Structure formats: structure tokens, C-alpha cells
Amino acid sequence: MLPTLRILEARDVRLHEDADPHRVTALAVRLQQEDVLRNPPIGAPLPGGGFVILDGANRTTALRTIGVPFHLLQIVEYETPEIRLDVWHHLLREDEAVLGVLPQEQVVTLSDRVELEQRLGDGVLACGLVTEAGVFGLPGGRDLAARIGTLRRVVASYAGRTPIYRVPTADLEGLRADFDRVGVIVVFPHFSKAEILKLADLQEKLPAGITRHVIPNRALRVNLPLDMLRGPGTLAEKNAALADLIHARLLAHRIRAYPEATVVFDD
């Protein structure tokens, strides 16, 4: 089956994480130059109405930046087990960027990564730090908004000051083999889907580059002309035009579904 694509009003689209300002600026320029949206953000319905972006905060924010009043989303059923929610950790090759900024009274020394994972899972810690000097934790409280506040302060201590590499593991030894030098790995907890939905209503969002949604059947290279999103016409008329465009491409053998996992070497 084809992915579900739908045009929505921009005001009905919400984020659960921050966008990356540098990537947003570059995307906004490219959108204006190419005048097409290549890959639609992916969103899920919210219980109280509207949609939360699961993947595509930068694209969504770039569209808002250039004043596009309607957005194209790929809509998924978030509760299905096929959609998995995972987490990225942040690898920094220099440790001073975070360890030298955080108030030391807030840092808890832990015995090892096993204890860190246990306390992250229990909700006692907002995040952890794995370094050559040891393993540390940052308490954040069990309240979601409080934990988000701690995460934002930690990430703000290094974001924009040093390159951030997203990694799926906190294995210091294994990562050193790939990155040559590891200053600190900022380890984040696993969030629940229910918490992602709650974040859509919170004023402060997760920092960029933490949640990782594994979503099958992604819609890529839709290449929708931006005129369909900012031109005249009602929402119903725009979605009817979108359906006609997809139908025409299907009949022209221009739509391909690839079930295999794919590795992109020049994103």
C-alpha cells in the first residue's frame, strides 16, 4: 500500500523537538531555489486534534520560515508496533564543551554504564555522561517538563560550540575505533510514544537530534511543487489535486516501493 500523504494547514502541525537553526536556514534557501518539497515530514494524529511531527522538524520549520501556509505530511498510525521509537546519543570529540560548563553539584558519579542505564530507565536521571574519566549522571526529576529542562541545559552547553555526532550506542571502546577520539558521550533515556504526544503541547521541546523514529514505508522524492501548498484553493481542493498527482504518477510507473533497508552515502 502507498504511504498516506495529506496536505494540512500549518497551524495544525506541531513539533516534539527543536529544529537545528543551521539546517533550517539551508533548507529554507533550497526550498526557495528549487520550489519543491522533496521529502514530506512524517506526522501522527494527536488525541486532541492536530498532528505531531515524528520526523522532519527541520523541514517543517523551514516551510514556516518561508511562509508556506499549508504543509504536506506523511501520516502514520503511531500506535502500531511497526513504528519504533529509539534514541540517539551525542558523541563529542572534546569533553570540555560539556563537563567544563555544567555545575559540578548537579553531576552524580556512577559506578559504570550498567548503573547509568538502570537509573535512566527508572526515570531518576535526565541523561548521563560517559567519558574516559568515568560515568556521570544528571538528575532531572520524574516530571517530564523538568527532565526536558535539564536536557535542554545540557545540550545548550555544547550545541553550536563543537560538532555533534549522533550515535546509537554508548560503547566508549567501540566508538573510539570509529571516531579516533571520544571526549564524552551524552547518553539520553528512551522516551515513550505517550511522552512524544505530550511534548507536542509543552512549550519547551526536546533538543534536536535525540529521538529516532524507525518508520517503514517512508515516502521519498515526492517532489511536490510549493505552489500547491501556497497557491489559491481550499484544503479539500489541494488534497484532491494531490490525489490526482499521485494517481497520474502511479499510472506512469513512476512510483517504486523498495522493501530492502537502504544506506545513503551522500545525504
Side-chain angles (χ1 to χ4, degrees), residues 65-142:
T65 299
I66 63 176
V68 177
F70 294 90
H71 290 188
L72 173 68
L73 262 60
Q74 177 181 347
I75 306 298
V76 297
E77 297 180 14
Y78 198 23
E79 67 276 6
T80 60
E82 289 80 13
I83 297 177
R84 295 185 288 113
L85 173 56
D86 211 328
V87 64
W88 290 113
H89 306 309
H90 289 177
L91 182 149
L92 314 176
R93 299 186 74 201
E94 305 292 341
D95 60 359
E96 294 84 359
V98 55
L99 291 177
V101 175
L102 294 175
Q104 291 305 300
E105 65 270 15
Q106 295 181 4
V107 179
V108 178
T109 301
L110 304 174
S111 58
D112 52 26
R113 279 174 47 207
V114 174
E115 183 184 4
L116 171 60
E117 292 172 1
Q118 289 175 342
R119 298 182 71 173
L120 284 173
D122 292 340
V124 175
L125 298 177
C127 65
L129 308 172
V130 176
T131 74
E132 296 283 2
V135 180
F136 309 94
L138 278 296
R142 296 187 180 277

Side-chain angles (χ1 to χ4, degrees), residues 241-252:
L242 173 65
D244 290 341
L245 182 147
I246 294 171
H247 182 64
R249 290 186 184 177
L250 184 66
L251 294 181

Side-chain angles (χ1 to χ4, degrees), residues 123-255:
V124 175
L125 298 177
C127 65
L129 308 172
V130 176
T131 74
E132 296 283 2
V135 180
F136 309 94
L138 278 296
R142 296 187 180 277
D143 177 71
L144 179 61
R147 283 186 285 135
I148 297 304
T150 300
L151 289 181
R152 292 178 65 86
R153 288 191 293 273
V154 172
V155 175
S157 71
Y158 58 82
R161 298 179 176 88
T162 187
I164 300 172
Y165 300 92
R166 300 181 189 181
V167 294
T169 176
D171 179 7
L172 185 66
E173 293 75 16
L175 291 169
R176 193 188 300 113
D178 291 331
F179 289 89
D180 301 324
R181 184 175 71 254
V182 177
V184 59
I185 306 166
V186 185
V187 183
F188 300 106
H190 286 264
F191 292 88
S192 69
K193 292 182 178 180
E195 288 175 323
I196 299 301
L197 296 178
K198 288 180 182 178
L199 278 163
D201 292 325
L202 291 182
Q203 182 176 0
E204 288 193 330
K205 312 299 183 182
L206 271 175
I210 294 179
T211 55
R212 176 189 179 200
H213 282 93
V214 181
I215 301 172
N217 211 31
R218 283 179 179 250
L220 300 175
R221 291 174 60 181
V222 175
N223 294 335
L224 185 76
L226 291 187
D227 280 346
M228 288 187 64
L229 300 178
R230 62 188 174 205
T234 65
L235 189 60
E237 290 169 340
K238 290 179 181 296
N239 276 293
L242 173 65
D244 290 341
L245 182 147
I246 294 171
H247 182 64
R249 290 186 184 177
L250 184 66
L251 294 181
H253 304 286
R254 294 177 59 190
I255 297 178

Side-chain angles (χ1 to χ4, degrees), residues 34-51:
E34 298 179 354
D35 211 34
V36 297
L37 175 64
R38 294 183 186 178
N39 306 317
I42 299 176
L46 288 165
F51 296 81

